[in-house]
Amino acid sequence: MYNVLNRQVMWRSSLLRGTTCLLQVVAPRFLPQRHFSSPVLRLLTQRLLHRPAVASCGLRFRGADYFLAHSGVRAYKKDAKSNVEFPVSPITVTDIKAYLRSKDIPFHDGYSCLHTPSIFMDTATRKDRFSLFIDKTTGQFLCKDTLVGGSWEDLQDCLEVMQKEEQDFLSPHVLLGYHESVEEQEETERELKEVQRIWSSSVPLSDVPEDEAQLIKTMFQITKISNATLKRFGVRLFKPTKSLVFPWFGGPNASLKGVKLISAQSTDTEKVIYNEATVPKCNSYYNLFGLPLVGRMDSEVVLTGHELDTLAVSQATGLPSVALPRGVSCLPPILLPYLEQFKRVTLWLGGDMRSWEASKIFSRKLGLRRCSLVRPGEYRPCPVEALSQGKNLSHIIKASIPAAHKSIVSFKQLREDVYGELVNTEQVAGVKWARFPQLNKILKGHRKGELTVFTGPTGSGKTTFISEVALDLCMQGVNTLWGSFEINNVRLAKIMLTQFAMQRLEENLEQYDYWADKFEELPLYFMTFHGQQNIKTVLDTMQHAVYLYDINHVIIDNLQFMMGQENLSVDKFAVQDHIIGAFRKFATNTSCHVTLIIHPRKEEDDRELQTASIFGSAKASQEADNVLILQEKKLVTCPGRRSLQVTKNRFDGDVGIFPLDFIKSSLTFSSPVKGKHKLRKVTPKPENEEGEWNEEVEGKEVTVKKEEVKKEKAEKAAKTTKTPRSVKNPATGNGTMQKQ
């Protein structure tokens, strides 16, 4: 009976997204099996089986949701990203506290979590320990003693069963350890074997001959890191690839759960580029390197973005230090319970502007009032560089600034920020596009916290173009969330995969798995919305994604699909203004770039679009930091000519237009620019002192231009009389810069 019920739960959990049972971090076979009595199991099983399915809204993320084709057909992955549902009514910390009080469960209010006694340990063992942590934002829980975790609904189910059966605790093993498929179980076993193979094949650096060890340290630029520090942190050398091996110890028995291999590559500028590889894969690697060396009574920690930085901080200061598993790209909420014990958290994630931006974002998750940030600068590089340069790391940490600040500041407080932007102009400009160098010349880069409005004629390829723009950034590590309300996610993923592979995969099916595996590694997520949606639901989902996956770029395609759900009695322009204002506020508050696609007003086919062509353009153009227009000149005999025009750029004011060549075989616009195509910068219209368009000034300029044209025509006529061959008109010849 027990096995039948458990198979029912496992089958039901694979069918209902968002209703998975309790999840365990460690492999189940290392734990002893203890079972519930039949009535307890029956009640918990029935609650899980009959729980209402969550509405179809939420996120998609990389997971292991597979299905097998029938016999004789090769096994396919269902899709690269399985569903994580987001509740229509998000849980709030007030709701969580009210529920815990109704169940007479004591709790402590922590920085990012609520602390309660663990319900997965008997009363004699847990005593007065508050080892179960509930995330204030999502309601997800984790018991640090048993490593049992799950959703808020799972915790409610367990508490209800305990109350009905009058139990003091629940076994942590009854609904754990079931893989969704045989493939996933085999993959987990392969990864564990690979971890053991790498670890057993690597050697401690203290066992390496002195001259070879010194050569390795020089290669990694860690000559100041002592052998004692490397040994204390368990760092080893994997000789076949000359990589340093950083272990992940975790679980009740502190067993080896994974490894990270880091190799060093020197450059012409004497800088070292570190290449990383993790086993298991990055999306399952949750190692806070250095955590096993932190004592229970330690109240201060230095959070770094790299394992080598943690070694440097620990050796130079003696302070507890841990490294984030994914550097500055993400702080997974599952790690927050392990950082709750610290009253002071110093974030020293690196020495560039990207690490500085990440520090400010991560401090919101950790709790602003306990966080301080090390501001990057010439005298404050990353910790391992500071150690090699002989700087005092303790003084740098003591000089860190608090993350929380007052609403009013003086220039004295902004002075270092201003200087930092002047020194790091390239990094401040944002992430550069690899496929669109012309866009870099105008916008300078993709920056966090901005709102971009994008428009273009119907059928001109807006979605196809913006998907490649987003893919370009995603391939460079920009965590991206797609909200496609116009076309479904399968079609969108197919377009992006074609752009990623730069070829039609339907004509090369044998290469599909190769490109799909690479595409699956991108930090790319999809909302499961389709058709008209309520703006509040969309914003809640975006907020959820930013918290869980540290999303840096959100694309909304398109605005009109959110207007149909609003009150029909309200003016549609007022509704649009409200929605645009909400996205503007979201981008500013979360430091997340939002790209908003808006359909234009109906214009004549022979007219180019302009900023005023955007539907309800007043609010959209005012709130936007960037306005991009996909222009299309329709032709009868061949496909229309497309170009991208930037009509607003709040960063530095540059605007312009450049041609786009669409390649149908790869669905890309990023073909090399021919010699005859040149970037055409657009000079803004003249303004008077009040900032309004000055017709008088423009009229004078037009008169001057007409006289210049007449003069050029006269000169051309004179040359033609002397020389009978044709001469290219310099005023309209290709490849020249033109100003409007």
Side-chain angles (χ1 to χ4, degrees):
M1 181 64 180
Y2 169 80
N3 292 331
V4 172
L5 286 173
N6 275 282
R7 280 197 297 271
Q8 290 175 343
V9 173
M10 181 177 62
W11 174 248
R12 180 64 170 172
S13 66
S14 67
L15 292 178
L16 290 179
R17 301 185 179 103
T19 59
T20 50
C21 302
L22 306 178
L23 304 175
Q24 187 164 17
V25 181
V26 295
R29 56 180 171 278
F30 298 125
L31 299 173
Q33 294 294 319
R34 295 172 59 188
H35 308 309
F36 281 141
S37 61
S38 297
V40 175
L41 179 62
R42 190 181 306 113
L43 278 172
L44 187 53
T45 303
Q46 288 174 351
R47 284 186 59 82
L48 289 168
L49 287 175
H50 298 292
R51 183 188 299 167
V54 183
S56 179
C57 63
L59 308 170
R60 292 186 171 224
F61 80 116
R62 286 189 297 273
D65 188 10
Y66 303 103
F67 73 93
L68 296 177
H70 296 289
S71 58
V73 183
R74 109 181 177 23
Y76 288 92
K77 291 183 180 180
K78 184 175 181 180
D79 55 60
K81 303 182 186 287
S82 59
N83 289 335
V84 172
E85 302 298 341
F86 185 74
V88 177
S89 300
I91 192 70
T92 65
V93 65
T94 304
D95 298 331
I96 297 174
K97 290 179 179 179
Y99 182 83
L100 295 176
R101 291 191 185 102
S102 69
K103 300 297 180 183
D104 294 326
I105 298 177
F107 62 86
H108 293 160
D109 199 343
Y111 298 101
S112 55
C113 301
L114 298 177
H115 311 179
T116 70
S118 176
I119 62 173
F120 302 103
M121 301 174 63
D122 60 74
T123 53
T125 304
R126 71 184 180 220
K127 297 180 180 179
D128 296 328
R129 294 178 59 186
F130 286 62
S131 59
L132 191 144
F133 296 82
I134 305 172
D135 193 297
K136 292 182 180 180
T137 304
T138 64
Q140 292 181 336
F141 73 93
L142 173 70
C143 174
K144 286 175 63 176
D145 289 327
T146 61
L147 295 182
V148 177
S151 68
W152 171 243
E153 290 79 9
D154 294 330
L155 184 60
Q156 286 179 303
D157 288 337
C158 293
L159 292 172
E160 295 292 336
V161 169
M162 285 178 57
Q163 185 178 31
K164 288 184 178 180
E165 288 296 306
E166 298 180 353
Q167 298 284 333
D168 293 330
F169 74 100
L170 296 179
S171 168
H173 312 305
V174 66
L175 295 176
L176 303 178
Y178 291 98
H179 294 278
E180 293 184 5
S181 69
V182 176
E183 285 185 355
E184 187 186 28
Q185 186 173 2
E186 291 176 350
E187 183 178 356
T188 301
E189 292 176 355
R190 282 196 301 269
E191 287 177 340
L192 286 173
K193 289 180 181 178
E194 182 67 10
V195 168
Q196 294 296 336
R197 185 190 70 82
I198 294 174
W199 186 247
S200 60
S201 302
S202 58
V203 295
L205 279 174
S206 57
D207 296 345
V208 177
E210 184 62 29
D211 55 344
E212 185 179 350
Q214 194 62 30
L215 183 62
I216 294 295
K217 288 185 177 181
T218 303
M219 183 191 306
F220 284 86
Q221 292 190 352
I222 54 171
T223 54
K224 294 292 183 70
I225 302 293
S226 66
N227 288 339
T229 300
L230 294 169
K231 184 177 181 180
R232 189 161 61 92
F233 280 86
V235 181
R236 293 188 175 188
L237 175 66
F238 188 62
K239 288 188 175 181
T241 59
K242 294 184 179 179
S243 303
L244 294 180
V245 182
F246 298 85
W248 175 17
F249 293 108
N253 301 323
S255 58
L256 182 65
K257 300 176 62 177
V259 292
K260 176 183 281 191
L261 286 83
I262 299 180
S263 60
Q265 179 182 353
S266 59
T267 62
D268 297 336
T269 59
E270 297 184 356
K271 289 274 186 179
V272 173
I273 298 176
Y274 297 107
N275 300 311
E276 301 179 353
T278 62
V279 183
K281 292 181 180 179
C282 181
N283 56 350
S284 301
Y285 186 80
Y286 296 110
N287 178 27
L288 279 173
F289 178 74
L291 188 64
L293 299 179
V294 176
R296 286 183 175 270
M297 303 305 294
D298 289 329
S299 60
E300 181 178 358
V301 70
V302 179
L303 204 61
T304 71
H306 200 275
E307 287 77 7
L308 296 179
D309 290 335
T310 289
L311 298 177
V313 170
S314 178
Q315 176 177 304
T317 67
L319 293 172
S321 179
V322 296
L324 294 177
R326 305 180 199 176
V328 300
S329 64
C330 182
L331 171 56
I334 194 174
L335 300 178
L336 295 179
Y338 298 100
L339 300 171
E340 279 289 293
Q341 76 177 75
F342 305 109
K343 295 180 180 178
R344 175 184 167 88
V345 179
T346 303
L347 287 90
W348 193 356
L349 301 183
D352 56 11
M353 292 302 295
R354 187 185 178 196
S355 63
W356 174 244
E357 291 295 330
S359 298
K360 292 189 285 187
I361 294 172
F362 293 169
S363 63
R364 298 172 190 167
K365 286 187 179 182
L366 295 165
L368 290 173
R369 68 180 186 270
R370 64 165 172 163
C371 291
S372 58
L373 315 177
V374 174
R375 191 195 308 273
E378 181 181 355
Y379 301 103
R380 292 178 295 276
C382 65
V384 70
E385 289 184 11
L387 181 66
S388 64
Q389 294 173 13
K391 299 187 184 298
N392 192 319
L393 274 68
S394 296
H395 288 174
I396 294 177
I397 292 173
K398 288 180 181 178
S400 59
I401 61 174
H405 55 79
K406 298 179 181 179
S407 299
I408 301 176
V409 295
S410 65
F411 179 73
K412 182 178 180 180
Q413 295 165 283
L414 299 175
R415 180 170 178 164
E416 286 296 321
D417 286 332
V418 173
Y419 180 75
E421 293 208 359
L422 294 174
V423 172
N424 304 283
T425 53
E426 285 297 312
Q427 296 179 21
V428 171
V431 180
K432 302 292 188 294
W433 285 274
R435 300 189 178 193
F436 298 95
Q438 303 96 328
L439 196 55
N440 292 328
K441 293 179 181 178
I442 303 176
L443 290 180
K444 306 303 182 292
H446 174 90
R447 294 166 289 277
K448 295 179 180 179
E450 291 190 351
L451 175 66
T452 294
V453 170
F454 179 63
T455 190
T458 302
S460 60
K462 292 189 296 296
T463 301
T464 305
F465 173 75
I466 210 68
S467 68
E468 187 182 8
V469 170
L471 176 65
D472 188 335
L473 298 168
C474 190
M475 291 168 64
Q476 300 179 65
V478 176
N479 300 344
T480 304
L481 174 66
W482 251 100
S484 176
F485 307 104
E486 197 167 65
I487 65 174
N488 61 48
N489 288 329
V490 174
R491 285 188 58 196
L492 177 61
K494 178 185 173 184
I495 292 172
M496 298 186 74
L497 182 59
T498 302
Q499 294 171 333
F500 181 71
M502 301 288 284
Q503 60 178 310
R504 291 278 190 178
L505 290 175
E506 55 262 47
E507 300 172 0
N508 302 279
L509 288 177
E510 70 281 358
Q511 299 183 28
Y512 174 77
D513 284 335
Y514 171 80
W515 289 109
D517 289 342
K518 286 185 171 294
F519 187 73
E520 192 174 342
E521 294 299 319
L522 297 178
L524 178 63
Y525 307 84
F526 299 91
M527 298 187 204
T528 56
F529 299 123
H530 188 61
Q532 293 184 346
Q533 297 296 331
N534 181 275
I535 178 63
K536 185 180 184 303
T537 306
V538 175
L539 287 172
D540 286 340
T541 305
M542 290 164 57
Q543 191 72 48
H544 182 74
V546 168
Y547 181 80
L548 283 181
Y549 310 117
D550 292 297
I551 296 298
N552 305 132
H553 187 200
V554 179
I555 303 99
I556 300 296
D557 183 16
N558 58 63
L559 176 73
Q560 277 77 2
F561 275 91
M562 265 163 289
M563 296 177 61
Q565 289 288 318
E566 304 301 323
N567 192 340
L568 296 178
S569 63
V570 181
D571 177 54
K572 61 181 180 181
F573 293 110
V575 172
Q576 178 171 327
D577 289 353
H578 165 72
I579 294 173
I580 292 173
F583 282 125
R584 168 75 269 176
K585 183 178 180 181
F586 173 85
T588 303
N589 292 344
T590 61
S591 295
C592 178
H593 192 114
V594 176
T595 298
L596 187 59
I597 300 177
I598 304 178
H599 282 308
R601 298 182 306 188
K602 294 297 181 183
E603 300 277 8
E604 296 180 7
D605 291 342
D606 58 344
R607 291 186 59 184
E608 284 192 349
L609 298 180
Q610 48 190 327
T611 304
S613 303
I614 301 173
F615 185 81
S617 60
K619 184 75 170 179
S621 58
Q622 289 171 4
E623 296 284 8
D625 296 285
N626 313 294
V627 176
L628 277 61
I629 302 176
L630 184 63
Q631 302 283 8
E632 182 183 30
K633 185 176 182 181
K634 295 187 177 181
L635 303 174
V636 178
T637 57
C638 61
R641 295 176 181 173
R642 297 181 179 89
S643 57
L644 183 70
Q645 183 175 5
V646 179
T647 61
K648 183 178 181 181
N649 174 12
R650 187 169 280 163
F651 179 70
D652 67 354
D654 281 356
V655 293
I657 186 170
F658 59 89
L660 294 171
D661 292 333
F662 179 66
I663 303 176
K664 191 173 182 179
S665 60
S666 59
L667 302 180
T668 59
F669 289 88
S670 52
S671 60
V673 180
K674 303 291 193 304
K676 62 181 181 179
H677 293 317
K678 296 291 184 179
L679 176 67
R680 179 161 58 93
K681 291 188 176 180
V682 180
T683 305
K685 291 183 178 181
E687 298 177 353
N688 57 20
E689 294 179 357
E690 298 177 357
E692 299 175 348
W693 174 42
N694 194 329
E695 296 183 2
E696 182 180 352
V697 175
E698 190 188 34
K700 292 179 180 178
E701 291 184 354
V702 171
T703 303
V704 172
K705 286 183 178 179
K706 286 182 178 179
E707 293 176 354
E708 291 177 353
V709 170
K710 289 180 180 179
K711 185 177 180 181
E712 288 177 358
K713 286 182 178 180
E715 292 176 355
K716 180 183 176 182
K719 290 180 180 179
T720 305
T721 303
K722 295 178 180 179
T723 308
R725 62 185 178 86
S726 60
V727 180
K728 184 182 292 185
N729 187 347
T732 59
N734 293 331
T736 59
M737 298 290 288
Q738 297 181 8
K739 290 189 177 181
Q740 293 181 349

